[in-house]
Amino acid sequence: MSDRLTRFVAGALVAVGGLMVLLCGSCTLVFGGGGLVSLIRGEDAGLGAFILAIAVIVGGLPTAAGVVLLVNGWKSWQANRPRSG
């Protein structure tokens, strides 16, 4: 691939990964935090544990995938910088 195309793909990976981390991570934080607070307060423990587990599975996995995309896109972006000088 040419350097321009590689940088475009790397930028797309950074953008998609960043959006996944932002959106999935914030949703996981809200729902997982709600489940955790429910467990700490001693409310319905079964429901709180279920909400926490589902939030980590459904939101945590895409968040982790977004982090992987973000990091690998950033590394590719940095590796294909135009030569200065």
Side-chain angles (χ1 to χ4, degrees), residues 1-11:
M1 277 196 271
S2 68
D3 284 341
R4 291 181 63 184
L5 182 60
T6 303
R7 283 182 61 85
F8 175 77
V9 171

Side-chain angles (χ1 to χ4, degrees), residues 11-84:
L13 285 174
V14 169
V16 170
L19 283 172
M20 286 177 69
V21 168
L22 179 70
L23 298 174
C24 297
S26 62
C27 185
T28 302
L29 183 66
V30 168
F31 284 100
L36 191 61
V37 167
S38 172
L39 284 175
I40 291 172
R41 286 187 180 171
E43 297 170 1
D44 188 8
L47 181 62
F50 178 75
I51 290 173
L52 181 60
I54 294 298
V56 169
I57 292 169
V58 173
L61 295 176
T63 303
V67 168
V68 169
L69 289 176
L70 184 66
V71 168
N72 287 329
W74 184 256
K75 286 181 182 178
S76 180
W77 181 274
Q78 293 297 319
N80 292 303
R81 284 188 297 201
R83 308 287 184 245
S84 60

